[in-house]
């Protein structure tokens, strides 16, 4: 791992997962990224600090094999809110990962997941806020 970098486990190698992975690698972090579809890994290129794993980010056994017990941070970034919530809650509650983020598309679910103690990020909400601000500028 790069000096001073964090170890991050990401579930979901869609557009968002790949972009976050690239940003983390650029700042010197080590990233393990899981996805159920090997085709999604085409968004990334093999490089030092990156491990791409074909697997289920909601499986306790898979997460253990991929080093969740030694990561600093975890991000659930699939396109499925329920998958993200399950993976994030597993990382936070079962494996006690210090920093956990959960992508949520549905604003109603976002509030519910936050009430469960999950830190959420909603691309839909962020884009809505940016567009309305741009329209007011």
């Amino acid at each position: 791992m790069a000096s001073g970098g964090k170890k991050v486990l990401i579930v979901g190698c869609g557009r968002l997962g790949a972009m976050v992975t690239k940003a983390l690698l650029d700042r010197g972090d080590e990233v393990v990224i899981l996805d159920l579809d090997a085709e999604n890994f085409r968004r990334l290129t093999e490089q030092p600090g990156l491990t791409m794993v074909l697997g289920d980010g909601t499986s306790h056994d898979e997460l253990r094999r991929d080093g969740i017990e030694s990561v600093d941070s975890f991000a659930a970034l699939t396109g499925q809110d329920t998958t993200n919530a399950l993976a994030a809650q597993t990382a936070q509650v079962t494996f006690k990962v210090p920093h956990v983020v959960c992508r949520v598309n549905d604003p109603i679910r976002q509030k519910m997941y936050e009430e469960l103690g999950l830190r959420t990020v909603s691309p839909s909400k962020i884009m809505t806020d940016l567009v309305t601000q741009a329209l007011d500028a």
Side-chain angles (χ1 to χ4, degrees):
M1 176 169 32
S3 172
K6 294 181 180 179
K7 186 169 182 182
V8 182
L9 198 154
I10 294 175
V11 175
C13 191
R15 283 186 299 270
L16 180 61
M19 290 176 67
V20 170
T21 296
K22 289 174 188 173
L24 293 172
L25 291 168
D26 286 348
R27 74 177 198 187
D29 292 341
E30 181 180 331
V31 178
V32 175
I33 187 162
L34 280 79
D35 201 285
L36 289 170
D37 185 353
E39 180 67 17
N40 286 335
F41 294 127
R42 77 189 188 299
R43 294 180 167 96
L44 298 170
T45 55
E46 290 190 31
Q47 58 187 291
L50 173 62
T51 304
M52 295 177 273
V53 179
L54 188 62
D56 181 356
T58 63
S59 162
H60 291 206
D61 291 338
E62 180 70 44
L63 292 170
R64 267 192 203 92
R65 270 193 301 274
D66 297 322
I68 194 168
E69 294 167 317
S70 66
V71 300
D72 302 297
S73 302
F74 179 94
L77 304 177
T78 76
Q80 304 297 317
D81 289 354
T82 53
T83 299
N84 292 340
L86 178 58
Q89 195 165 40
T90 299
Q92 185 170 295
V93 175
T94 304
F95 294 106
K96 309 286 191 245
V97 176
H99 303 283
V100 176
V101 176
C102 175
R103 172 189 180 174
V104 183
N105 294 304
D106 182 342
I108 295 167
R109 284 189 180 142
Q110 182 178 16
K111 184 175 176 163
M112 180 177 68
Y113 294 162
E114 286 173 350
E115 289 171 359
L116 292 172
L118 295 175
R119 177 180 286 166
T120 65
V121 174
S122 173
S124 302
K125 171 99 173 72
I126 291 167
M127 285 304 299
T128 298
D129 292 347
L130 289 172
V131 169
T132 56
Q133 287 172 13
L135 291 171
D136 289 341

